[in-house]
Each structure stands twice: as structure tokens, then as C-alpha cells.
Amino acid sequence: MKLGILLQNGTEQVAKDSEKKKRKSDYKSKAIYSSWLALSLFSLGLVVGQIGPTFLDLQIITGTDVEKASAFFTGGSVGYLTGSVISGAIYNKVNRKLMLFLGLLLLGVCSLTTPFCSIYALMIVVRTCSGVCSGFVDTTTNAEHMRVWGLDGQVLMQLLHFAFAFGGVISPLYSEPFLTEKDEEDTRNCTHESWNVKENNNSLSSQPQSTNVLYAFIITGTCVILSSLPFLYFSVKDSIRRKKKKAVIEEKPVQRKLPLPVLLFTLLVLCLFYALYCCVEDTFASFLMTFLVKEYCYVTKSKGAHVTSIYWASFAVSRFLSIFISKFIIAVNLLFICCMLMLISFACFYISATFAVSDPNAINAVIFFTIVVGLSMSAVFPSGFSWTEAELLKVTGCVSSCILVSASIGTMVNPIMLGYLMTHLSNLWFCYLLLGETVALCCVFIFLRLFNKLYINKTYGCIQSPQLSIQVSAEHGSSLKMSNPDL
């Protein structure tokens, strides 16, 4: 009898040790995969962070002014929308690692070819293709992270997007030495008496200019192509594994049971929130250097690139801090703090920008609030995904695609509108537009938060944490699968 009990206890212990070892191995595999996902967003950050500082040099390459060249941003946004749609449509049908490999590879090729596109239409085509690849990579990476980690991935989501911000810090720094100096004619006309006088036409000098910015794009393209190689390895490895196994069963996340109109309305408002946020984030990073150089004749391209890099640095530092802050503050509260800080920082940025027109010393205040803007915006995107997963909707490939499609729609319109306003009215429309969109962003967030809390949760119930199911399953010795009867 005792021998039987000992054998049974020994068998149970072996089973527990085996299960523990398996869980540890699975966790290690997921952590390694997440590190490569972070690398893909780092590469995306290199591409996105380079757009703003090199914008004026791309104008030189194509011989265009701010209004015409703003179509480069629009082309990128149209492409981003297309890439997000394609990614969401095929996410559950193809090898996702292969998707990321191809997306990053083509993104690197687009970066390499960008500085050689002296024809205006060709530049728009290449920027559009780059946008397709960017949307493809961004959508797939975020969906993959949520698929792998679920609600346990809130902290790692911050880490993932810190990698994106870090890439945005690096690319302006190595791009700056290759930028063309500010037009001599503009510098010569810059006197204390003329600080309040702005030309209505923001076109480049008639003097022919050249640029060495192609070397910066070569660096970016090479780094992005290299970052695609690990996903080729994962793709081949998965193919070999599938051949050994006859069938692979994968759980699919299930949405909370909501009536279709309520589900679609919630998704629509969520997409509006992301559209406004990405309008603000993308436009600020892309047009910051152009605004500073065009509005203040005492600001050189080099200084503008440094200020852009400072913005990305504050953005990255804040995202790094968010990795630790998110352990103590739930996603929705962190999101609320960020939205309020955005509103305050953009209001102060606008005030300091108006004073800097007549007082060059006030440019320091502009730089300071640029840093604050970076700090305030950093956690919005990842926290929004975590909040969506925890309280609104399961972040499937389709949901991720909808979010990023809406983001690209907003950024598609903004550059054209802002390019026209800055060229024909005033460069300060850069401040007016971003402040107005930030106000709208805060209003949409507050509405969605109250709508979910006061109506959806009370009528259809809250999304239950799957951790409870994991604990119950563990106590009964069953396999550790997350389940929720209310989803």
C-alpha cells in the first residue's frame, strides 16, 4: 500500500516537474520571439524617425516646396493603410513569420531606393511602397505580440514600443551629418528687424543644391534588411516543425458577446481615437524640423535635426520608464494621464512658439515643451492596445488592422492640409492643428471610457481576467489554457 502511494506521488511529481519544465521552455521561446518583434519595431522606428529630418533634403532631390512635398507623407499614409488592410486580411491564413520577413525586407529596399528618386512622381510611389511595408510590419508585430502574451503582455508591450522610439532617436542622429546646410539666402536675410516678417512662399532657394542624404538612407535600409533575417529563420523552423506534426491546433481569441451594432460602434470610436492620436504623433515628428527651420530664420537644419532627435529621445526615455510604471498603473489610468499631459504640453508649445517669433531666446521654451510632448505621447499607443485587450475588445489581427488602418487614414489627410496651411497662411498652423486634434483626442477618449464603463459593462458584463481560469485549472491539474465563458 505504501509502495503504491510512493509510486503515485513519484509519478505526480515527475508530471509536475515535466509540466514546469515545459512551461519554462515555452516562456523562454516566447521571450526570444518577443525580442525579435522588438527588433522589427526598432527598424520601423529607424524609418519613421528619419522622415522628418530628411524632409527638406528630399525636397532638394525632387525640386519641390513644402506644399508639393507633403504628398510624400500622404503617399506613405495611403501605403500604410493598404499594408494594414492586407496584413489584417491574411494574418490568419499565412505564415506570420514569413509575413514579417517579407515586410521588413521590402521596407529596407524602399529605404535604399528613396534618395535616388529625383522624379517627383517616382518619389511618391516609393514613399507609398514604404508605407505599405510599414503598415504591414506594424500591424503584424502588434497582433503577434497580443496573440503570444494576451493580458500578460502589458509590460512587454511598453518594451516593444520603447524599441520603436529608440529607433526614432537613432536615425535623426546619424542622418544629421549628411543633411544640406540651410540656404545661404535665408540666413543672409535673417536680421533682428525681419524676425516678424515671413514670406508667404516657403519654396526652396533658386540656387541649385545637392545633398548627401543618400548615405543616411543606406544605413537605415541595411539595418532594416538585416533585422528581417531572424524571421526567415523562424519561418523555416516553423515549416520543418509542421512537417513533423500532422496537425497543429491553435486557440483563437474570442470576442466578448456584444450585439453587432454595439461592437461596431465601439470599434469605430476606438479607431477614431487612434486616428487622432496618430495624426498628432506622426505630424509632430514629421513636420517639427520643417516648422522650426521655416518659422525661425535663426534655426539651422542641423539644430532642427537635433531638436527632432531630442524629441525622439524624450519619447524613448518615457517609453522605457513606462515599462516599470505599467506594473503599478493600469493601462486605462496611464492612458488618461498621457492624454491630459498631451493637452497641457501642446497648449504650452503653442504659447512658447508664438513668443519665439519675436524673441529668439524663447526657442528654449519651444525645445523644452518639445521634450514634454515626447514624454506625454510615449505610452498612448501601447497602453491603448493593453486597455483594448483588457476592457474593450480582444486584439485579433482584424482588430489590430482596423486600428492601424484608421491611424493611416488620419495621417493621410493631415500632411496635405498642414502643407497647404503652412505654405499659404502661416507656419504656426503647425501648432493650431495639433492642439485642436489633441483636444478632440481627449474628448473621444473620455467618451469611450464612460461609454464602456457606464453602458457596455453594466449591460453586457466586464471582460473577465483569464488569470482566474489559469489558477483554477492549475489547482485541478489540467492544462494551462485561458478560458472565459463570458467571451
Side-chain angles (χ1 to χ4, degrees):
M1 184 70 177
K2 290 183 178 180
L3 180 61
I5 294 173
L6 288 173
L7 288 174
Q8 184 179 358
N9 291 338
T11 303
E12 290 178 355
Q13 185 62 41
V14 170
K16 288 181 179 179
D17 290 342
S18 177
E19 181 67 28
K20 184 177 180 181
K21 185 176 180 180
K22 183 176 180 299
R23 277 183 290 167
K24 186 176 180 180
S25 176
D26 290 343
Y27 185 87
K28 182 179 178 181
S29 298
K30 291 197 294 184
I32 292 173
Y33 185 52
S34 289
S35 67
W36 293 118
L37 291 177
L39 180 63
S40 71
L41 283 191
F42 169 78
S43 299
L44 185 61
L46 292 178
V47 174
V48 174
Q50 194 172 46
I51 295 173
T54 59
F55 179 54
L56 295 175
D57 283 66
L58 294 183
Q59 291 180 49
I60 294 173
I61 292 173
T62 55
T64 55
D65 58 13
V66 175
E67 183 179 5
K68 288 188 68 177
S70 63
F72 303 157
F73 294 113
T74 302
S77 297
V78 172
Y80 193 97
L81 183 151
T82 306
S84 299
V85 170
I86 295 173
S87 177
I90 68 175
Y91 178 78
N92 290 319
K93 300 176 182 178
V94 299
N95 188 319
R96 294 142 187 168
K97 281 88 171 180
L98 184 60
M99 287 171 62
L100 283 170
F101 164 69
L102 293 175
L104 288 166
L105 179 64
L106 294 175
L107 182 61
V109 171
C110 288
S111 293
L112 290 174
T113 56
T114 295
F116 299 98
C117 301
S118 57
I119 301 174
Y120 176 67
L122 183 59
M123 179 68 78
I124 294 177
V125 170
V126 171
R127 295 309 306 163
T128 301
C129 292
S130 179
V132 171
C133 298
S134 297
F136 201 83
V137 170
D138 204 0
T139 302
T140 306
T141 301
N142 282 285
E144 276 291 87
H145 173 80
M146 299 309 298
R147 180 185 66 83
V148 170
W149 294 102
L151 291 180
D152 295 330
Q154 179 177 341
V155 175
L156 284 174
M157 177 63 87
Q158 300 288 346
L159 178 61
L160 210 65
H161 286 270
F162 162 72
F164 170 83
F166 187 65
V169 174
I170 299 299
S171 55
L173 292 177
Y174 65 70
S175 298
E176 186 272 330
F178 304 111
L179 299 178
T180 304
E181 293 294 327
K182 191 173 182 180
D183 299 345
E184 291 183 5
E185 183 178 342
D186 290 344
T187 305
R188 195 164 52 245
N189 292 334
C190 182
T191 60
H192 182 75
E193 291 79 10
S194 65
W195 280 335
N196 286 316
V197 180
K198 296 287 179 283
E199 295 184 41
N200 289 328
N201 186 359
N202 282 326
S203 61
L204 296 171
S205 172
S206 59
Q207 295 279 338
Q209 291 178 294
S210 60
T211 174
N212 294 318
V213 77
L214 68 94
Y215 298 110
F217 280 97
I218 290 174
I219 294 172
T220 299
T222 302
C223 291
V224 175
I225 290 174
L226 290 176
S227 70
S228 71
L229 298 181
F231 294 101
L232 178 61
Y233 165 76
F234 282 123
S235 177
V236 174
K237 187 177 178 181
D238 281 357
S239 299
I240 296 173
R241 187 181 302 165
R242 286 194 184 95
K243 289 180 181 178
K244 293 181 179 179
K245 295 182 180 181
K246 293 183 178 179
V248 178
I249 300 174
E250 183 177 303
E251 291 187 64
K252 294 183 179 180
V254 182
Q255 295 289 2
R256 176 166 49 169
K257 292 180 180 178
L258 298 175
L260 184 59
V262 177
L263 177 63
L264 292 178
F265 181 74
T266 304
L267 183 59
L268 178 65
V269 179
L270 178 65
C271 288
L272 177 59
F273 170 80
Y274 267 102
L276 288 168
Y277 167 72
C278 289
C279 271
V280 175
E281 183 197 299
D282 182 78
T283 303
F284 189 80
S286 300
F287 278 85
L288 176 61
M289 176 175 166
T290 301
F291 167 70
L292 294 175
V293 173
K294 293 293 183 182
E295 178 66 11
Y296 309 112
C297 53
Y298 50 84
V299 175
T300 63
K301 279 188 179 180
S302 178
K303 186 170 183 178
H306 283 137
V307 174
T308 302
S309 186
I310 289 171
Y311 157 75
W312 279 107
S314 66
F315 193 82
V317 168
S318 184
R319 276 199 169 164
F320 180 74
L321 295 176
S322 297
I323 297 171
F324 308 100
I325 295 173
S326 61
K327 293 182 179 180
F328 307 101
I329 303 177
I330 62 174
V332 66
N333 290 343
L334 185 57
L335 204 53
F336 176 78
I337 293 171
C338 288
C339 287
M340 293 302 104
L341 283 177
M342 280 181 64
L343 186 59
I344 296 170
S345 59
F346 272 109
C348 293
F349 181 89
Y350 158 66
I351 294 171
S352 58
T354 55
F355 279 105
V357 173
S358 56
D359 182 6
N361 292 322
I363 197 67
N364 295 322
V366 174
I367 296 173
F368 173 77
F369 287 112
T370 296
I371 295 172
V372 179
V373 166
L375 294 173
S376 66
M377 288 199 296
S378 60
V380 173
F381 197 94
S383 295
F385 266 86
S386 298
W387 175 47
T388 302
E389 176 77 13
E391 298 188 30
L392 298 176
L393 306 166
K394 289 294 178 183
V395 181
T396 61
C398 180
V399 171
S400 177
S401 176
C402 288
I403 289 173
L404 294 174
V405 163
S406 63
S408 61
I409 290 175
T411 56
M412 193 191 315
V413 177
N414 244 28
I416 293 180
M417 184 166 54
L418 186 58
Y420 176 84
L421 293 171
M422 289 178 66
T423 301
H424 296 284
L425 296 179
S426 168
N427 290 315
L428 286 174
W429 270 99
F430 175 77
C431 305
Y432 306 151
L433 185 63
L434 293 182
L435 180 57
E437 289 173 342
T438 302
V439 172
L441 171 73
C442 294
C443 293
V444 171
F445 168 70
I446 293 172
F447 170 78
L448 183 58
R449 171 63 174 150
L450 294 176
F451 178 72
N452 181 66
K453 186 176 182 180
L454 301 179
Y455 175 69
I456 298 181
N457 287 350
K458 289 187 176 182
T459 306
Y460 304 102
C462 303
I463 293 181
Q464 296 181 7
S465 172
Q467 293 180 352
L468 181 61
S469 298
I470 292 175
Q471 293 173 359
V472 172
S473 298
E475 289 175 1
H476 292 281
S478 61
S479 61
L480 299 178
K481 292 184 179 180
M482 293 187 290
S483 60
N484 190 337
D486 292 334
L487 296 183

